[in-house]
């Protein structure tokens, strides 16, 4: 084998500690001294490092999180392939002796995720490595969820549709003008100039840019701008490319450590910058899909599909948390169970479609007439549960009466115009949780409390 055998000292840097938490890196470089230097720097940073002269049968057995590929004088074949087929899904980080604009774009076209010069400081190398590993983890998680969904028959076919994105260019107008012209001529996206003040004034009520291109200079301090972008909920998922002055490696390192998605030197060609932005936006699109899938799965598991209220399973866990909170604070709590009067008659006389409409109307009126901190859930059938933290028996009684009157105040009108009078009956339980009562977050108590009970009839 040629792994770790090119130089007797190289084996000293191969980590076989078996630490399952360490990210595994494969260094492939035909120059032994290059492998030794890289292995030393990456092992010192607590990575699990394997080294090789070239790709062969032995390297095909390794499953690295990222490949670090030395491309000195070997980019002539880059347009064919940088890595073998078995590693096509692994991100490739090229370390090149020249890393000129032309060689960078050649490597990016061939599938490399990044190309940096060999003489750059280790701090920049490690910062870029960390950002690529984070990115790769998100991509793998997206693929895992897609495969899991497919196994249950829930996955949709992959779409070739590429949405149009909005890109904000931040910097001085003079510097941004040329960059915007180049990007607009190459990318099918909307590109606009934004001052720092414009960005910070943005709020969640309007569609913010999907990506930002920051032209770093002394007047645009990354120490202030990038943390602001990542701190605001409606901006933190935007992709950010920082274009830094030639040779300003400290600026590039700072940008990555503060959360920039990608970096490019000011000497980069327009094609390279456009390439990086397009790849960045494609990754963002996949990550957005992952987040949406997660949120939809959570909503499906926690809500009732008909009324949109939380379901009984979610309510039980919420009750456990509410009781724990009441025990810790010493405050009272209340729970109400509302039941639609004579609901079977609604189904029998008007049909199940009308019954569903009544259920949805009752759910909406209940939701509109309680506090934001109160939980309304569908307990089952025509029953609804309302959980009210920090509430006295008297307050719960007033609320129950208000809900009863709100329901009886106007009929529910079906799609065919039929008006159905609807009333509800509400039972109220209120009390405090003794501090000595053993509890756990399972939605149940080891011993039942003895609350006071009242019933408000329809």
């Amino acid at each position: 084998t040629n792994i770790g055998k090119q130089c007797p000292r190289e084996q000293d840097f191969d980590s076989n500690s078996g630490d399952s938490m360490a990210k595994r890196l494969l260094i492939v470089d035909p120059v032994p001294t290059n492998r030794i230097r890289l292995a030393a720097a990456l092992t010192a940073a607590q990575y699990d490092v394997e080294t090789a002269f070239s790709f062969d049968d032995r390297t095909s057995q390794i499953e690295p999180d990222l490949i670090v590929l030395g491309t000195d004088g070997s980019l002539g074949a880059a347009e064919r392939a940088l890595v073998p087929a078995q590693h096509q899904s692994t991100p490739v980080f090229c370390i090149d002796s020249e890393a000129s604009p032309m060689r960078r774009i050649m490597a990016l076209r061939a599938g490399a995720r990044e190309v940096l010069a060999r003489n750059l400081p280790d701090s920049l190398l490690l910062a870029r490595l960390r950002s690529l590993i984070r990115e790769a983890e998100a991509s793998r998680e997206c693929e895992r969820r897609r495969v899991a969904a497919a196994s249950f028959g829930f996955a949709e076919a992959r779409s070739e549709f590429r949405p149009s994105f909005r890109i904000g260019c931040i910097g001085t107008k003079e510097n941004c003008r040329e960059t915007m012209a180049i990007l607009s001529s190459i990318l099918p996206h909307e590109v606009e100039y934004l001052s720092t003040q414009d960005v910070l004034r943005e709020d969640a009520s309007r569609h913010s840019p999907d990506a930002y291109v920051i032209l770093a200079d002394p007047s645009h301090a990354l120490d202030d701008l990038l943390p602001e972008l990542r701190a605001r909920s409606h901006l933190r998922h935007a992709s950010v490319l920082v274009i830094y002055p030639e040779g300003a490696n400290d600026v590039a390192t700072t940008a990555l450590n503060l959360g920039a998605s990608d970096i490019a030197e000011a000497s980069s060609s327009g094609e390279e910058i456009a390439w990086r932005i397009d790849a960045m936006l494609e990754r963002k699109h996949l990550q957005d899909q992952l987040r949406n899938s997660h949120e939809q799965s959570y909503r499906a598991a926690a809500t009732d599909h008909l009324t949109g209220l939380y379901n009984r399973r979610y309510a039980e866990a919420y009750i456990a948390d509410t009781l724990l909170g009441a025990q810790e604070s010493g405050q009272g709590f209340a729970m109400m169970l509302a039941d639609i009067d004579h609901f079977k008659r609604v189904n029998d006389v008007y049909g199940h479609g009308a019954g569903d409409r009544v259920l949805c109307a009752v759910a909406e009126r209940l939701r509109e007439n309680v506090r934001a901190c109160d939980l309304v859930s569908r307990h089952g059938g025509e029953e609804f549960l309302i959980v009210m933290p920090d509430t006295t028996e008297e307050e719960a009684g007033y609320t129950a009466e208000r809900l009863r009157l709100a329901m009886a105040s106007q009929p529910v009108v079906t799609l065919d115009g039929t008006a159905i009078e609807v009333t509800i009956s509400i039972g109220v339980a209120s009390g405090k949780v003794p501090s000595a009562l053993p509890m756990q977050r399972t939605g149940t108590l080891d011993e039942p409390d003895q609350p006071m009970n009242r019933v408000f009839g329809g």
Side-chain angles (χ1 to χ4, degrees), residues 13-27 42-43 45-50 64-66:
F13 303 118
D14 285 342
S15 171
N16 294 300
S17 63
D19 180 3
S20 61
M21 298 300 291
K23 297 302 178 183
R24 197 174 199 188
L25 308 180
L26 172 60
I27 299 173
L42 299 179
T43 302
Q46 304 303 309
Y47 290 104
D48 181 4
V49 179
E50 298 277 359
D65 295 287
L66 185 139

Side-chain angles (χ1 to χ4, degrees), residues 304 306-307 309 337-347 355-356 358-360 362-363 366 377-386 407 422-426:
D304 171 58
L306 176 63
T307 63
L309 298 177
L337 192 63
D339 185 278
I340 301 176
D341 299 323
H342 312 297
F343 184 70
K344 183 177 182 300
R345 179 176 175 276
V346 173
N347 282 332
D356 288 348
V358 166
L359 287 170
C360 292
V362 170
L366 291 175
S377 70
R378 187 178 180 193
H379 196 61
E382 69 272 25
E383 296 178 340
F384 299 87
L385 178 70
I386 300 101
M407 211 60 59
V422 177
T423 59
I424 59 174
S425 296
I426 306 175

Side-chain angles (χ1 to χ4, degrees), residues 166-337:
R166 182 178 168 219
I167 302 170
C169 194
I170 305 171
T172 64
K173 283 190 176 181
E174 294 74 17
N175 292 340
C176 289
R177 188 175 293 114
E178 182 180 356
T179 301
M180 292 170 58
I182 293 172
L183 296 180
S184 297
S185 67
I186 299 175
L187 297 173
H189 307 305
E190 177 188 349
V191 184
E192 62 178 319
Y193 169 77
L194 294 172
S195 67
T196 302
Q197 291 72 27
D198 292 334
V199 175
L200 299 183
R201 275 197 301 265
E202 295 242 357
D203 57 53
S205 64
R206 63 189 296 260
H207 174 55
S208 300
D210 302 284
Y212 294 93
V213 178
I214 302 175
L215 278 64
D217 61 42
S219 65
H220 290 81
L222 297 177
D223 290 352
D224 297 327
L225 181 56
L226 278 173
E228 285 289 345
L229 286 175
R230 294 309 183 209
R232 301 179 184 219
S233 59
H234 62 290
L235 299 178
R236 68 169 59 112
H237 297 305
S239 298
V240 179
L241 171 69
V242 173
I243 300 178
Y244 63 97
E246 190 170 0
N249 298 325
D250 57 332
V251 176
T253 303
T254 298
L256 292 169
N257 288 336
L258 291 176
S261 311
D262 203 349
I263 55 172
E265 202 171 43
S267 62
S268 303
S269 66
E271 182 182 359
E272 179 185 340
I273 292 174
W275 188 284
R276 288 180 181 275
I277 292 173
D278 208 36
M280 193 170 69
L281 287 169
E282 183 173 357
R283 291 190 298 274
K284 179 190 184 305
H285 182 53
L286 288 174
Q287 290 166 8
D288 287 346
Q289 289 180 320
L290 172 61
R291 277 192 301 274
N292 291 337
S293 172
H294 176 73
E295 291 170 2
Q296 289 167 5
S297 298
Y298 177 80
R299 283 195 295 270
T303 59
D304 171 58
H305 72 279
L306 176 63
T307 63
L309 298 177
Y310 289 109
N311 59 25
R312 182 170 181 166
R313 179 182 178 186
Y314 179 90
E316 288 175 350
Y318 183 87
I319 290 169
D321 285 341
T322 299
L323 297 183
L324 277 172
Q327 186 181 54
E328 293 167 358
S329 68
Q331 299 295 317
F333 69 94
M335 290 186 285
M336 298 189 290
L337 192 63

